[in-house]
């Protein structure tokens, strides 16, 4: 297969989609191409505001530790800038009142941190940094309607301007490389069919989870607690979830979730009533002392979807997929923004590899590998949920053994500091899953007793 950028004196790269995955991919491509054009359907707001093309933008987002590392590698100083904008830094488990697998987690000293500021704020900061590069052009208000080229190689994209009074005729934007970063609703299957190529096989695991979010204002120290946030995580025996986290401007985002058939309401009056379904009234009690500051926003597209461009098929050189257009996760696990950045780092390393020619297939595999651990975490939990649907082979004996072991890891992570630290490193993508099998962790998991966990929500930090 041809070199992804042709190894010619270059060149033009086009990125479809100007959200986080697309902007970060453009940042990397600008190191190799003379010009990068980011094609975005929306017209960007002037400031850190929500926009229609990011339907999840009004909902809760967190930047986990693995994502922080990747953002720093791509945009040095980014985390400091995010903190200067007021994004709260939340330590886990110290700063959270968290219920998981039927247990409250002890609020031991934090071993990982995440940032919980609004998604539009983070994207705006990325956009400011990326658009400052003179090699990168943001083409706003245009949608991609097709590809040019043939089944052997993509040569560009067909575009149409959006909005009232816009020209409805399509135009061609030629490119040496096209990257699809258009999100989980990508039309790439149609685009590829239009040039005689094959769409990738899709893997889907869907619990039917839906969630609803509302902004609240609450007095400091509500519930006589020093916690920054609250988290009730659903499991196969308890399908309701809730998260309360600070935004950094005196408000909190509150998200309630439920599985297929028990979706949370978008009706304002019913939102707080739904919170009473949680396994403990702590969320309802918090809401009773807080003041609503926004409507209720709902979201239901939460299936895990992976598009297997790595498998054989009639696909063209010069076309890559990244971000949610390649691998989309159940948002409840907070991995999406991190994987967007980790994938951009993988793209950079694949293109700069001095030992291997960066063919389309090789680079695409690198992008898929970058999302693999997050996929395993998300689908590993979701496939156990009642009513989960999706094509998947029956688990092997090894899968069952690993599942049993990881179950014990989760049980002991609530109170064992060694197991808990390893588990949090794995799920925040700062260490491979093999960290769960390190000797000290394995001894505690296989032979150690499960540590006692708090009987009631630990509203105050654990001493020591």
């Amino acid at each position: 297969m041809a070199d992804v950028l042709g190894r010619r004196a270059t060149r033009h790269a086009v990125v479809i989609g100007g959200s986080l995955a697309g902007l970060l991919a453009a940042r990397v491509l600008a190191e190799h191409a003379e010009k990068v054009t980011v094609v975005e359907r929306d017209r960007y707001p002037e400031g850190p505001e929500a926009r229609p093309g990011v339907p999840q933008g009004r909902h809760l987002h967190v930047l986990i530790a693995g994502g922080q590392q990747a953002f720093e590698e791509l945009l040095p100083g980014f985390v400091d800038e995010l903190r200067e904008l007021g994004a709260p830094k939340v330590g886990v488990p110290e700063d959270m009142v968290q219920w998981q697998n039927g247990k409250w987690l002890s609020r031991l000293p934090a071993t990982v941190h995440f940032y919980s500021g609004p998604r539009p704020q983070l994207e705006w900061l990325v956009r400011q940094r990326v658009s400052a590069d003179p090699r990168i052009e943001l083409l706003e208000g245009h949608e991609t309607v097709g590809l040019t080229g043939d089944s052997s190689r993509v040569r560009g994209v067909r575009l149409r301007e959006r909005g009232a009074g816009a020209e409805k005729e399509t135009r061609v934007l030629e490119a040496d490389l096209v990257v699809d970063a258009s999100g989980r609703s990508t039309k790439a299957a149609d685009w590829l069919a239009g040039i005689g190529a094959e769409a990738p096989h899709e893997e889907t695991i869907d619990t039917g989870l839906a969630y609803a979010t509302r902004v609240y204002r609450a007095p400091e120290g509500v519930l006589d607690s020093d916690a920054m946030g609250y988290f009730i995580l659903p499991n196969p025996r308890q399908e309701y979830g809730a998260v309360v986290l600070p935004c950094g401007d005196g408000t909190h985002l509150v998200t309630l979730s439920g599985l297929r058939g028990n979706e949370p309401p978008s009706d304002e009056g019913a939102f707080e009533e739904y919170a009473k379904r949680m396994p403990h009234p702590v969320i309802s009690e918090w809401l009773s002392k807080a003041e609503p500051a926004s409507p209720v926003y709902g979201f239901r597209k939460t299936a895990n979807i992976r598009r297997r461009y790595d498998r054989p098929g009639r696909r063209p050189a010069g076309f890559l997929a990244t971000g949610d257009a390649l691998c989309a996760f159940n948002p409840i696990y907070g991995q999406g923004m991190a994987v967007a950045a980790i994938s951009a780092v993988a793209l950079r390393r694949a293109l700069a590899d001095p030992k291997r020619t960066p063919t389309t297939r090789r680079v695409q595999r690198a992008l898929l590998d970058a999302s693999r651990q997050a996929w395993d975490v998300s689908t590993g939990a979701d496939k156990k949920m009642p009513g989960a649907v999706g094509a998947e082979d029956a688990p092997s004996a090894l899968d069952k053994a690993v599942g049993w072991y990881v179950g014990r890891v989760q049980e002991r992570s609530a109170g064992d500091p060694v197991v808990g630290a390893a588990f949090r490193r794995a799920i925040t993508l700062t260490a491979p899953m093999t960290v769960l099998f390190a000797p000290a962790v394995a001894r505690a998991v296989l032979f150690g007793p499960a540590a006692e966990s708090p009987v009631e929500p630990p509203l105050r930090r654990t001493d020591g």
Side-chain angles (χ1 to χ4, degrees), residues 95-116:
D95 294 330
M96 295 291 294
V97 173
Q98 183 167 333
W99 188 95
Q100 180 177 313
N101 293 317
K103 296 181 179 180
W104 294 105
L105 272 62
S106 298
R107 291 177 59 192
L108 301 171
T111 59
V112 295
H113 295 81
F114 64 82
Y115 287 87
S116 65

Side-chain angles (χ1 to χ4, degrees), residues 80-103:
D80 285 343
E81 293 176 356
L82 188 64
R83 189 163 49 242
E84 288 171 5
L85 288 175
K89 182 180 181 181
V90 182
V92 181
E94 184 173 9
D95 294 330
M96 295 291 294
V97 173
Q98 183 167 333
W99 188 95
Q100 180 177 313
N101 293 317
K103 296 181 179 180

Side-chain angles (χ1 to χ4, degrees), residues 93-166:
E94 184 173 9
D95 294 330
M96 295 291 294
V97 173
Q98 183 167 333
W99 188 95
Q100 180 177 313
N101 293 317
K103 296 181 179 180
W104 294 105
L105 272 62
S106 298
R107 291 177 59 192
L108 301 171
T111 59
V112 295
H113 295 81
F114 64 82
Y115 287 87
S116 65
R119 159 64 186 260
Q121 180 185 72
L122 187 144
E123 183 181 305
W124 176 80
L125 181 56
V126 172
R127 192 163 66 244
Q128 294 296 104
R129 291 284 300 269
V130 171
S131 63
D133 189 325
R135 296 165 295 184
I136 299 174
E137 176 188 3
L138 304 184
L139 182 59
E140 304 172 50
H142 283 74
E143 60 182 337
T144 301
V145 296
L147 302 172
T148 63
D150 53 37
S151 60
S152 64
R153 186 165 193 92
V154 166
R155 303 289 179 184
V157 295
R158 296 187 183 279
L159 304 178
R160 181 168 57 215
E161 190 175 4
R162 303 180 73 236

Side-chain angles (χ1 to χ4, degrees), residues 375-428:
W375 174 265
D376 290 343
V377 169
S378 185
T379 61
D382 277 4
K383 65 187 179 183
K384 299 174 185 176
M385 298 299 286
V389 296
E392 187 167 348
D393 296 333
S396 65
L398 178 60
D399 292 334
K400 292 178 180 178
V402 171
W404 173 84
Y405 180 86
V406 172
R408 288 178 69 87
V409 169
Q410 291 177 312
E411 289 177 359
R412 282 153 177 74
S413 68
D416 188 301
V418 173
V419 178
F423 181 63
R424 287 186 287 275
R425 289 183 67 203
I427 63 174
T428 59

Side-chain angles (χ1 to χ4, degrees), residues 50-72:
R51 58 187 179 88
V54 186
Q56 285 178 258
R58 297 184 184 275
H59 296 275
L60 185 65
H61 285 75
V62 296
L63 183 60
I64 58 177
Q68 295 166 38
Q69 293 176 359
F71 271 99
E72 279 297 303

Side-chain angles (χ1 to χ4, degrees), residues 305-324:
I305 305 172
R306 182 162 64 171
R307 298 174 174 94
R308 300 303 300 267
Y309 284 95
D310 59 315
R311 292 185 176 176
R314 191 175 64 255
R315 297 193 195 94
F319 181 81
L320 298 171
T322 191
D324 282 0

